[in-house]
Amino acid sequence: MIKQRVITGVILGALVLLGVFWLSPGWFAFFAAAVVALAAHEWGNFAALGQLGRSGYALLCLALVALLQVVTPLLDTAILTLAGLFWLVACYVVVRYPAIRLECRWLKLLVGLVVIVPTWLALTSLKALTEGELALVMLLLLVWGADTGAYCAGKLLGRRKLIPNVSPGKTLEGMLGGLATCILIGVIIGLSRELPPVALVYLVALSLITGLASVLGDLFESLFKRERGIKDSGRILPGHGGILDRIDSLTAAAPVFMLGIHWAPMF
């Protein structure tokens, strides 16, 4: 199982980096749309949809993505801002679970669109920046760093459960280790770009907030899997489960990071 996970992880990482550096913004948008369509298909399972219903839900997601291709940049910013506000509500839901439950099928489907579609918008908006490749790589490093740092710190120091009702395996010490990794990434990238002190502090703060969002995205998907009574969102990735299991952290981190870059452009 470990060997399978490593092989799949290496292949996925290589494909993602190829997409970031090799694809033009237009083709990258198609690549990202394919990923979110697969994620939407898996999200349909959270609402107990059949195969036909999941396919229809994925097509609806693609239709919304296509619509976003023609809206003005001002509307893009508004959508990302609403997505950021949504994740504040999601944080409350995660903390209060199971006192607050999302059992309504239509509510689950609506939430899925709010989670998945802005992820595509954030990724394509980052790619379109002057230094879009660097911005995307930093986002990926923050997400991967939060996950890896949390895993290592949790294994070594983990004692206190973070939110056991949602994800029993996560610890407070693990989360802090992941956030410390994000801060380190922000400092290294900021210093390498020779940012002035104020901009450096802002980038480090954005790295920390993005790391927190990454943890929230992971926990939020775990909540839906717990509601559905499943371990993985799908089986498309050997040893890793589904697409959602790989991009759950990104669904929250990407809109937050893009908003931060929008309000203080530095890429």
Side-chain angles (χ1 to χ4, degrees):
M1 177 62 74
I2 294 178
K3 180 180 179 181
Q4 191 178 53
R5 284 181 61 87
V6 170
I7 293 174
T8 303
V10 169
I11 294 174
L12 283 176
L15 288 175
V16 169
L17 292 177
L18 279 174
V20 168
F21 288 104
W22 184 64
L23 294 179
S24 66
W27 281 108
F28 181 81
F30 279 112
F31 172 73
V35 173
V36 299
L38 290 172
H41 188 275
E42 293 177 356
W43 192 282
N45 184 34
F46 294 159
L49 295 181
Q51 286 298 326
L52 184 60
R54 296 180 204 178
S55 298
Y57 187 62
L59 288 175
L60 173 60
C61 180
L62 286 176
L64 292 175
V65 162
L67 180 62
L68 288 179
Q69 288 274 37
V70 298
V71 299
T72 65
L74 180 60
L75 188 54
D76 288 355
T77 303
I79 291 171
L80 290 174
T81 301
L82 289 174
L85 293 174
F86 164 80
W87 283 108
L88 292 177
V89 176
C91 181
Y92 179 76
V93 172
V94 167
V95 171
R96 293 284 296 155
Y97 184 83
I100 296 178
R101 303 180 73 96
L102 301 175
E103 297 178 330
C104 174
R105 170 181 290 184
W106 297 108
L107 179 58
K108 288 181 179 181
L109 294 174
L110 177 60
V111 168
L113 294 178
V114 177
V115 168
I116 294 169
V117 175
T119 303
W120 175 88
L121 180 59
L123 293 175
T124 54
S125 297
L126 286 168
K127 175 68 173 177
L129 297 175
T130 303
E131 296 180 276
E133 290 81 7
L134 178 58
L136 281 168
V137 167
M138 181 173 181
L139 170 62
L140 293 172
L141 286 175
L142 290 172
V143 171
W144 294 340
D147 184 59
T148 304
Y151 178 81
C152 294
K155 284 291 185 181
L156 293 172
L157 306 170
R159 295 292 183 274
R160 289 166 288 184
K161 300 296 183 181
L162 184 60
I163 305 183
N165 288 329
V166 175
S167 184
K170 289 182 172 54
T171 63
L172 176 61
E173 293 82 2
M175 184 189 73
L176 294 176
L179 296 180
T181 304
C182 290
I183 291 173
L184 180 60
I185 291 170
V187 169
I188 292 173
I189 292 179
L191 291 176
S192 68
R193 292 175 61 80
E194 299 181 347
L195 295 178
V198 174
L200 176 60
V201 171
Y202 180 86
L203 186 63
V204 172
L206 178 58
S207 299
L208 174 61
I209 294 171
T210 302
L212 282 167
S214 175
V215 174
L216 175 59
D218 188 349
L219 288 170
F220 197 58
E221 197 226 354
S222 294
L223 184 154
F224 278 86
K225 288 191 292 187
R226 184 165 289 272
E227 285 270 299
R228 181 67 170 133
I230 56 178
K231 182 177 182 295
D232 298 315
S233 64
R235 301 177 181 177
I236 194 172
L237 302 174
H240 286 263
I243 292 293
L244 271 174
D245 295 319
R246 292 301 90 208
I247 69 166
D248 51 4
S249 299
L250 201 62
T251 57
V256 169
F257 185 72
M258 180 60 217
L259 274 177
I261 298 300
H262 172 77
W263 295 119
M266 57 184 67
F267 288 100

